[in-house]
Amino acid sequence: GAVVSQHPSRVICKSGTSVKIECRSLDFQATTMFWYRQFPKKSLMLMATSNEGSKATYEQGVEKDKFLINHASLTLSTLTVTSAHPEDSSFYICSARAYGTTPYEQYFGPGTRLTVT
Amino acid sequence: QKEVEQNSGPLSVPEGAIASLNCTYSDRGSQSFFWYRQYSGKSPELIMSIYSNGDKEDGRFTAQLNKASQYVSLLIRDSQPSDSATYLCAVTSGAGSYQLTFGKGTKLSVIP
């Protein structure tokens, strides 16, 4: 149980284009999903917290107009990197928090490696 | 500023030995504590959660929590080369907060 998928796993795009990343909870309902970014040899950086049916809460320094988050259902959240630039190249990972007896546990998706050329 | 501190390592242990990973946190109101394992190039995988003082065992893994000392540890018994990874300590703060604050991780290397 508690499986989270992400799509795509790897994407290369040109500077100035937009990229959408999907995060799905496959066998549970996720009231809250989180989006992280991780640069090489660095720790995870929380970008935003996404609650189903409401606007995402962004961490300080994360541009909400650049990183658009939509949490349209209890099993799907999307992150769109708009007008991507090479400095946006990173490993983007989502996680989901389940209902139930272990509400504080987060389960991570496999990540999406974004390269902007 | 909530902080979670870990020794970055690398921590090297021989195969079959006990690996001991430590973590301290600054927010005394922290309530939930987690250990994640992250292989190079992969996303974190939850291996242990602990919510109350004392020990919690799961297979070869034992998590220990001491809230008075603001300290949480992970012991890996009979370490295997496949345990070689970065171990991330993560903490949530007070009741109702679901955000995780991560440490920078300890890199463990198990030598065959």
Side-chain angles (χ1 to χ4, degrees):
Chain A
V3 178
V4 177
S5 71
Q6 263 183 260
H7 178 80
S9 59
R10 191 177 291 269
V11 59
I12 301 172
C13 71
K14 292 191 175 180
S15 188
T17 61
S18 296
V19 173
K20 180 186 279 191
I21 302 169
E22 289 188 350
C23 176
R24 292 182 186 271
S25 55
L26 296 186
D27 53 359
F28 65 99
Q29 292 186 323
T31 44
T32 308
M33 289 183 170
F34 303 86
W35 287 95
Y36 295 84
R37 181 166 54 181
Q38 188 175 36
F39 292 105
K41 300 192 188 307
K42 301 291 185 184
S43 191
L44 293 162
M45 256 183 47
L46 179 65
M47 299 175 66
T49 301
S50 164
N51 290 298
E52 184 265 338
S54 61
K55 288 184 180 179
T57 303
Y58 290 81
E59 294 301 300
Q60 194 172 9
V62 178
E63 299 173 58
K64 63 180 181 182
D65 294 331
K66 180 169 182 64
F67 298 100
L68 301 178
I69 292 171
N70 187 330
H71 192 158
S73 77
L74 284 171
T75 58
L76 173 64
S77 176
T78 60
L79 167 69
T80 301
V81 183
T82 62
S83 187
H85 287 98
E87 58 265 29
D88 298 323
S89 299
S90 188
F91 191 39
Y92 291 87
I93 315 172
C94 71
S95 71
R97 177 180 75 83
Y99 278 126
T101 58
T102 58
Y104 294 97
E105 293 183 356
Q106 288 184 28
Y107 299 93
F108 284 83
T112 297
R113 195 161 300 281
L114 170 64
T115 303
V116 184
T117 60
Chain B
Q1 181 92 7
K2 298 168 191 169
E3 292 183 349
V4 177
E5 300 285 343
Q6 292 181 256
N7 187 325
S8 62
L11 172 67
S12 294
V13 300
E15 183 175 355
I18 295 175
S20 177
L21 304 161
N22 304 313
C23 171
T24 59
Y25 57 94
S26 63
D27 183 2
R28 198 168 273 284
S30 298
Q31 304 232 329
S32 308
F33 307 86
F34 307 91
W35 284 99
Y36 285 85
R37 177 175 62 197
Q38 187 174 25
Y39 292 111
S40 180
K42 304 293 185 183
S43 68
E45 173 191 8
L46 179 64
I47 54 173
M48 288 288 283
S49 60
I50 186 165
Y51 300 94
S52 55
N53 281 329
D55 294 1
K56 179 181 176 184
E57 187 174 316
D58 184 0
R60 295 186 297 113
F61 300 100
T62 299
Q64 299 174 317
L65 175 61
N66 184 326
K67 289 187 178 181
S69 300
Q70 294 175 239
Y71 175 89
V72 59
S73 66
L74 179 71
L75 299 178
I76 306 174
R77 287 182 300 282
D78 188 24
S79 295
Q80 301 296 308
S82 58
D83 295 326
S84 298
T86 296
Y87 289 80
L88 303 171
C89 173
V91 172
T92 61
S93 57
S97 171
Y98 300 109
Q99 286 187 355
L100 291 174
T101 301
F102 281 90
K104 292 184 177 178
T106 298
K107 187 169 183 177
L108 172 67
S109 181
V110 181
I111 312 298

